Amino acid sequence: MELTAYLKQLVDISPELEHELDGAFARDVFPKRHKLLLPDNTSQKVYFFEKGLARTYYIRHDGKDITHHFFLMNSFSVGIETVFYGRPSPYGLELLEKSVVRSINYTDLEKIIDQHHNLEKLMRTVLIETLKTFSDRLSALQFQSAQERYNTLLAQYPSILQQAPLGHIASYLGITQQTLSVIRAQR
């Protein structure tokens, strides 16, 4: 879904603001496996995924690539460590499908929000949604079995098995690829 159509579902946006936002966010099309950001980046950008699938990932001390989160269409991503704390983000951002990505520098977005207070509601909504997502993920890792985490993933992202490599899915679930194969065979 296009950025402005998505935003209009969440808040009331005038045609003028719609035009301003559409012009302020760059629009790029990237191929599958394109790395928008590498770990330890200092990006100040806010990304919105109009089409495609992305993941954040980090590199463990032993060199293993671990998937931290998946971003489907109509998702925002921002490096919290960089934008709000001035530290490099430990997460890279990789596209798992050909994707249409909108982006804006965070300070430019803040200027638009300062001029249009109805967008403050949008920011609160996005931040609360993000907080809830990560709270649920932490709870799942602490209290759910691997089978339960797998079932939850499929409920949240029904087409993830067709979109993401199994190795990325396994690392996201905190299990080996072999364990994932066993769980999938049991279904």
Side-chain angles (χ1 to χ4, degrees):
M1 177 180 296
E2 287 192 11
L3 171 68
T4 54
Y6 175 74
L7 296 178
K8 285 175 18 180
Q9 291 181 340
L10 302 175
V11 293
D12 186 35
I13 296 177
S14 69
E16 296 80 20
L17 179 54
E18 181 179 351
H19 180 72
E20 182 179 354
L21 288 167
D22 195 47
F25 276 81
R27 181 183 187 276
D28 295 292
V29 178
F30 295 104
K32 180 179 182 175
R33 294 191 190 93
H34 178 78
K35 294 200 176 178
L36 280 174
L37 300 171
L38 296 174
D40 297 319
N41 69 79
T42 56
S43 174
Q44 295 286 310
K45 288 190 176 183
V46 175
Y47 294 98
F48 179 78
F49 303 99
E50 282 188 342
K51 182 179 180 196
L53 175 69
R55 74 177 182 119
T56 51
Y57 68 97
Y58 61 95
I59 307 298
R60 234 173 30 190
H61 66 279
D62 62 1
K64 185 161 174 51
D65 171 312
I66 304 294
T67 297
H68 176 64
H69 187 69
F70 291 107
F71 292 93
L72 300 173
M73 291 183 344
N74 304 327
S75 297
F76 283 95
S77 174
V78 63
I80 293 170
E81 299 82 5
T82 301
V83 169
F84 298 106
Y85 296 101
R87 296 188 312 246
S89 173
Y91 305 106
L93 185 57
E94 179 183 24
L95 303 175
L96 300 178
E97 296 180 333
K98 180 180 177 184
S99 300
V100 177
V101 181
R102 303 294 299 265
S103 64
I104 187 171
N105 189 295
Y106 182 78
T107 56
D108 294 335
L109 180 58
E110 279 282 299
K111 289 175 189 173
I112 294 171
I113 292 168
D114 287 344
Q115 295 170 1
H116 304 278
H117 295 288
N118 59 329
L119 292 180
E120 290 174 352
K121 178 184 176 192
L122 170 69
M123 291 298 286
R124 279 194 309 275
T125 300
V126 169
L127 290 173
I128 289 168
E129 197 173 288
T130 302
L131 184 59
K132 173 80 168 98
T133 298
F134 287 111
S135 175
D136 290 347
R137 173 138 164 76
L138 180 60
S139 178
L141 288 170
Q142 288 180 316
F143 303 113
Q144 290 182 342
S145 68
Q147 179 72 55
E148 290 169 325
R149 290 193 305 272
Y150 177 76
N151 293 340
T152 299
L153 178 68
L154 291 184
Q156 290 174 333
Y157 308 110
S159 63
I160 196 75
L161 293 174
Q162 289 78 43
Q163 294 177 284
L166 294 180
H168 295 331
I169 293 170
S171 72
Y172 174 78
L173 294 172
I175 59 177
T176 65
Q177 209 165 333
Q178 181 179 2
T179 300
L180 178 58
S181 295
V182 170
I183 289 171
R184 290 181 67 212
Q186 293 174 352
R187 289 200 95 198

